[in-house]
PDB file of all heavy atoms in Angstrom:
ATOM      1  N   ASP X 932     -89.629  55.872-158.292  1.00 89.00           N
ATOM      2  CA  ASP X 932     -90.924  56.034-157.665  1.00 89.00           C
ATOM      3  C   ASP X 932     -92.040  55.673-158.674  1.00 89.00           C
ATOM      4  O   ASP X 932     -92.955  56.464-158.903  1.00 89.00           O
ATOM      5  CB  ASP X 932     -91.045  57.497-157.196  1.00 89.00           C
ATOM      6  CG  ASP X 932     -92.037  57.626-156.049  1.00 89.00           C
ATOM      7  OD1 ASP X 932     -92.490  56.577-155.573  1.00 89.00           O
ATOM      8  OD2 ASP X 932     -92.349  58.766-155.677  1.00 89.00           O
ATOM      9  N   ASN X 933     -91.941  54.497-159.246  1.00 89.00           N
ATOM     10  CA  ASN X 933     -92.921  54.026-160.239  1.00 89.00           C
ATOM     11  C   ASN X 933     -93.100  54.973-161.407  1.00 89.00           C
ATOM     12  O   ASN X 933     -94.206  55.123-161.932  1.00 89.00           O
ATOM     13  CB  ASN X 933     -94.280  53.793-159.598  1.00 89.00           C
ATOM     14  CG  ASN X 933     -94.252  52.610-158.662  1.00 89.00           C
ATOM     15  OD1 ASN X 933     -93.607  51.606-158.980  1.00 89.00           O
ATOM     16  ND2 ASN X 933     -94.886  52.734-157.517  1.00 89.00           N
ATOM     17  N   GLY X 934     -92.060  55.634-161.783  1.00 92.00           N
ATOM     18  CA  GLY X 934     -92.155  56.536-162.923  1.00 92.00           C
ATOM     19  C   GLY X 934     -92.802  57.867-162.583  1.00 92.00           C
ATOM     20  O   GLY X 934     -93.080  58.668-163.472  1.00 92.00           O
ATOM     21  N   ASN X 935     -93.013  58.136-161.305  1.00 93.00           N
ATOM     22  CA  ASN X 935     -93.598  59.421-160.920  1.00 93.00           C
ATOM     23  C   ASN X 935     -92.561  60.504-160.750  1.00 93.00           C
ATOM     24  O   ASN X 935     -92.891  61.679-160.648  1.00 93.00           O
ATOM     25  CB  ASN X 935     -94.365  59.286-159.598  1.00 93.00           C
ATOM     26  CG  ASN X 935     -95.648  58.528-159.800  1.00 93.00           C
ATOM     27  OD1 ASN X 935     -96.271  58.648-160.855  1.00 93.00           O
ATOM     28  ND2 ASN X 935     -96.028  57.732-158.813  1.00 93.00           N
ATOM     29  N   ALA X 936     -91.320  60.108-160.669  1.00 94.00           N
ATOM     30  CA  ALA X 936     -90.278  61.099-160.434  1.00 94.00           C
ATOM     31  C   ALA X 936     -89.078  60.805-161.324  1.00 94.00           C
ATOM     32  O   ALA X 936     -88.844  59.669-161.734  1.00 94.00           O
ATOM     33  CB  ALA X 936     -89.863  61.077-158.969  1.00 94.00           C
ATOM     34  N   LEU X 937     -88.352  61.846-161.645  1.00 96.00           N
ATOM     35  CA  LEU X 937     -87.137  61.718-162.441  1.00 96.00           C
ATOM     36  C   LEU X 937     -85.987  62.294-161.627  1.00 96.00           C
ATOM     37  O   LEU X 937     -86.088  63.373-161.053  1.00 96.00           O
ATOM     38  CB  LEU X 937     -87.287  62.506-163.745  1.00 96.00           C
ATOM     39  CG  LEU X 937     -86.035  62.577-164.638  1.00 96.00           C
ATOM     40  CD1 LEU X 937     -85.742  61.218-165.253  1.00 96.00           C
ATOM     41  CD2 LEU X 937     -86.219  63.619-165.745  1.00 96.00           C
ATOM     42  N   LEU X 938     -84.908  61.547-161.610  1.00 96.00           N
ATOM     43  CA  LEU X 938     -83.742  61.979-160.879  1.00 96.00           C
ATOM     44  C   LEU X 938     -82.630  62.210-161.894  1.00 96.00           C
ATOM     45  O   LEU X 938     -82.402  61.358-162.749  1.00 96.00           O
ATOM     46  CB  LEU X 938     -83.347  60.844-159.942  1.00 96.00           C
ATOM     47  CG  LEU X 938     -82.568  61.230-158.741  1.00 96.00           C
ATOM     48  CD1 LEU X 938     -83.461  61.948-157.761  1.00 96.00           C
ATOM     49  CD2 LEU X 938     -82.038  59.979-158.109  1.00 96.00           C
ATOM     50  N   THR X 939     -81.973  63.366-161.828  1.00 97.00           N
ATOM     51  CA  THR X 939     -80.892  63.603-162.781  1.00 97.00           C
ATOM     52  C   THR X 939     -79.595  63.913-162.045  1.00 97.00           C
ATOM     53  O   THR X 939     -79.610  64.393-160.913  1.00 97.00           O
ATOM     54  CB  THR X 939     -81.207  64.797-163.704  1.00 97.00           C
ATOM     55  OG1 THR X 939     -81.300  65.975-162.898  1.00 97.00           O
ATOM     56  CG2 THR X 939     -82.482  64.591-164.483  1.00 97.00           C
ATOM     57  N   ALA X 940     -78.494  63.649-162.719  1.00 96.00           N
ATOM     58  CA  ALA X 940     -77.182  63.990-162.166  1.00 96.00           C
ATOM     59  C   ALA X 940     -76.450  64.804-163.215  1.00 96.00           C
ATOM     60  O   ALA X 940     -76.575  64.547-164.412  1.00 96.00           O
ATOM     61  CB  ALA X 940     -76.395  62.722-161.863  1.00 96.00           C
ATOM     62  N   SER X 941     -75.701  65.797-162.767  1.00 96.00           N
ATOM     63  CA  SER X 941     -74.968  66.629-163.711  1.00 96.00           C
ATOM     64  C   SER X 941     -73.565  66.890-163.199  1.00 96.00           C
ATOM     65  O   SER X 941     -73.275  66.710-162.017  1.00 96.00           O
ATOM     66  CB  SER X 941     -75.721  67.936-163.958  1.00 96.00           C
ATOM     67  OG  SER X 941     -76.309  68.404-162.767  1.00 96.00           O
ATOM     68  N   VAL X 942     -72.694  67.335-164.110  1.00 94.00           N
ATOM     69  CA  VAL X 942     -71.282  67.493-163.781  1.00 94.00           C
ATOM     70  C   VAL X 942     -71.041  68.622-162.777  1.00 94.00           C
ATOM     71  O   VAL X 942     -70.004  68.693-162.147  1.00 94.00           O
ATOM     72  CB  VAL X 942     -70.467  67.695-165.084  1.00 94.00           C
ATOM     73  CG1 VAL X 942     -68.993  67.882-164.800  1.00 94.00           C
ATOM     74  CG2 VAL X 942     -70.649  66.505-165.992  1.00 94.00           C
ATOM     75  N   ASP X 943     -72.038  69.495-162.600  1.00 93.00           N
ATOM     76  CA  ASP X 943     -71.887  70.519-161.566  1.00 93.00           C
ATOM     77  C   ASP X 943     -72.120  69.934-160.163  1.00 93.00           C
ATOM     78  O   ASP X 943     -72.314  70.664-159.203  1.00 93.00           O
ATOM     79  CB  ASP X 943     -72.836  71.700-161.830  1.00 93.00           C
ATOM     80  CG  ASP X 943     -74.284  71.263-161.943  1.00 93.00           C
ATOM     81  OD1 ASP X 943     -74.571  70.085-161.682  1.00 93.00           O
ATOM     82  OD2 ASP X 943     -75.131  72.104-162.281  1.00 93.00           O
ATOM     83  N   GLN X 944     -72.129  68.606-160.083  1.00 94.00           N
ATOM     84  CA  GLN X 944     -72.243  67.884-158.813  1.00 94.00           C
ATOM     85  C   GLN X 944     -73.592  68.078-158.132  1.00 94.00           C
ATOM     86  O   GLN X 944     -73.691  68.112-156.919  1.00 94.00           O
ATOM     87  CB  GLN X 944     -71.083  68.243-157.875  1.00 94.00           C
ATOM     88  CG  GLN X 944     -69.763  67.768-158.467  1.00 94.00           C
ATOM     89  CD  GLN X 944     -68.552  68.109-157.617  1.00 94.00           C
ATOM     90  OE1 GLN X 944     -67.523  68.471-158.143  1.00 94.00           O
ATOM     91  NE2 GLN X 944     -68.666  67.994-156.305  1.00 94.00           N
ATOM     92  N   ARG X 945     -74.615  68.234-158.945  1.00 94.00           N
ATOM     93  CA  ARG X 945     -75.950  68.327-158.363  1.00 94.00           C
ATOM     94  C   ARG X 945     -76.815  67.170-158.816  1.00 94.00           C
ATOM     95  O   ARG X 945     -76.709  66.698-159.948  1.00 94.00           O
ATOM     96  CB  ARG X 945     -76.606  69.646-158.754  1.00 94.00           C
ATOM     97  CG  ARG X 945     -76.107  70.774-157.845  1.00 94.00           C
ATOM     98  CD  ARG X 945     -76.504  72.124-158.352  1.00 94.00           C
ATOM     99  NE  ARG X 945     -75.384  73.018-158.087  1.00 94.00           N
ATOM    100  CZ  ARG X 945     -75.073  74.079-158.793  1.00 94.00           C
ATOM    101  NH1 ARG X 945     -75.784  74.415-159.831  1.00 94.00           N
ATOM    102  NH2 ARG X 945     -74.027  74.815-158.475  1.00 94.00           N
ATOM    103  N   LEU X 946     -77.662  66.747-157.899  1.00 95.00           N
ATOM    104  CA  LEU X 946     -78.659  65.740-158.209  1.00 95.00           C
ATOM    105  C   LEU X 946     -79.989  66.456-158.094  1.00 95.00           C
ATOM    106  O   LEU X 946     -80.229  67.173-157.129  1.00 95.00           O
ATOM    107  CB  LEU X 946     -78.617  64.611-157.180  1.00 95.00           C
ATOM    108  CG  LEU X 946     -77.271  63.916-157.004  1.00 95.00           C
ATOM    109  CD1 LEU X 946     -77.335  62.949-155.830  1.00 95.00           C
ATOM    110  CD2 LEU X 946     -76.919  63.156-158.274  1.00 95.00           C
ATOM    111  N   LYS X 947     -80.831  66.283-159.099  1.00 96.00           N
ATOM    112  CA  LYS X 947     -82.125  66.960-159.042  1.00 96.00           C
ATOM    113  C   LYS X 947     -83.247  65.941-159.074  1.00 96.00           C
ATOM    114  O   LYS X 947     -83.205  64.970-159.829  1.00 96.00           O
ATOM    115  CB  LYS X 947     -82.265  67.949-160.192  1.00 96.00           C
ATOM    116  CG  LYS X 947     -81.370  69.153-159.999  1.00 96.00           C
ATOM    117  CD  LYS X 947     -81.754  70.285-160.897  1.00 96.00           C
ATOM    118  CE  LYS X 947     -81.012  71.552-160.465  1.00 96.00           C
ATOM    119  NZ  LYS X 947     -81.335  72.680-161.316  1.00 96.00           N
ATOM    120  N   TYR X 948     -84.243  66.234-158.274  1.00 95.00           N
ATOM    121  CA  TYR X 948     -85.389  65.352-158.153  1.00 95.00           C
ATOM    122  C   TYR X 948     -86.598  66.087-158.706  1.00 95.00           C
ATOM    123  O   TYR X 948     -86.996  67.128-158.187  1.00 95.00           O
ATOM    124  CB  TYR X 948     -85.581  65.011-156.677  1.00 95.00           C
ATOM    125  CG  TYR X 948     -86.681  64.032-156.380  1.00 95.00           C
ATOM    126  CD1 TYR X 948     -86.405  62.691-156.126  1.00 95.00           C
ATOM    127  CD2 TYR X 948     -88.013  64.442-156.314  1.00 95.00           C
ATOM    128  CE1 TYR X 948     -87.407  61.786-155.833  1.00 95.00           C
ATOM    129  CE2 TYR X 948     -89.025  63.542-156.030  1.00 95.00           C
ATOM    130  CZ  TYR X 948     -88.714  62.210-155.786  1.00 95.00           C
ATOM    131  OH  TYR X 948     -89.718  61.321-155.490  1.00 95.00           O
ATOM    132  N   TYR X 949     -87.171  65.576-159.794  1.00 96.00           N
ATOM    133  CA  TYR X 949     -88.333  66.224-160.404  1.00 96.00           C
ATOM    134  C   TYR X 949     -89.571  65.371-160.203  1.00 96.00           C
ATOM    135  O   TYR X 949     -89.533  64.152-160.417  1.00 96.00           O
ATOM    136  CB  TYR X 949     -88.143  66.383-161.909  1.00 96.00           C
ATOM    137  CG  TYR X 949     -87.029  67.302-162.338  1.00 96.00           C
ATOM    138  CD1 TYR X 949     -85.789  66.798-162.684  1.00 96.00           C
ATOM    139  CD2 TYR X 949     -87.249  68.680-162.428  1.00 96.00           C
ATOM    140  CE1 TYR X 949     -84.767  67.639-163.104  1.00 96.00           C
ATOM    141  CE2 TYR X 949     -86.238  69.529-162.855  1.00 96.00           C
ATOM    142  CZ  TYR X 949     -84.992  68.999-163.191  1.00 96.00           C
ATOM    143  OH  TYR X 949     -83.997  69.824-163.615  1.00 96.00           O
ATOM    144  N   ASP X 950     -90.666  66.015-159.864  1.00 95.00           N
ATOM    145  CA  ASP X 950     -91.959  65.361-159.880  1.00 95.00           C
ATOM    146  C   ASP X 950     -92.437  65.461-161.331  1.00 95.00           C
ATOM    147  O   ASP X 950     -92.498  66.557-161.889  1.00 95.00           O
ATOM    148  CB  ASP X 950     -92.904  66.116-158.942  1.00 95.00           C
ATOM    149  CG  ASP X 950     -94.272  65.459-158.865  1.00 95.00           C
ATOM    150  OD1 ASP X 950     -94.615  64.708-159.794  1.00 95.00           O
ATOM    151  OD2 ASP X 950     -94.981  65.717-157.884  1.00 95.00           O
ATOM    152  N   ILE X 951     -92.771  64.327-161.944  1.00 96.00           N
ATOM    153  CA  ILE X 951     -93.142  64.375-163.363  1.00 96.00           C
ATOM    154  C   ILE X 951     -94.538  63.808-163.596  1.00 96.00           C
ATOM    155  O   ILE X 951     -94.904  63.457-164.715  1.00 96.00           O
ATOM    156  CB  ILE X 951     -92.115  63.601-164.227  1.00 96.00           C
ATOM    157  CG1 ILE X 951     -91.879  62.211-163.645  1.00 96.00           C
ATOM    158  CG2 ILE X 951     -90.804  64.371-164.329  1.00 96.00           C
ATOM    159  CD1 ILE X 951     -91.124  61.290-164.568  1.00 96.00           C
TER     160      ILE X 951
END
Side-chain angles (χ1 to χ4, degrees):
Chain X
D932 204 7
N933 291 321
N935 287 326
L937 175 70
L938 204 72
T939 63
S941 38
V942 179
D943 56 7
Q944 295 179 220
R945 279 169 218 151
L946 304 173
K947 289 195 169 179
Y948 184 101
Y949 295 97
D950 182 339
I951 50 168

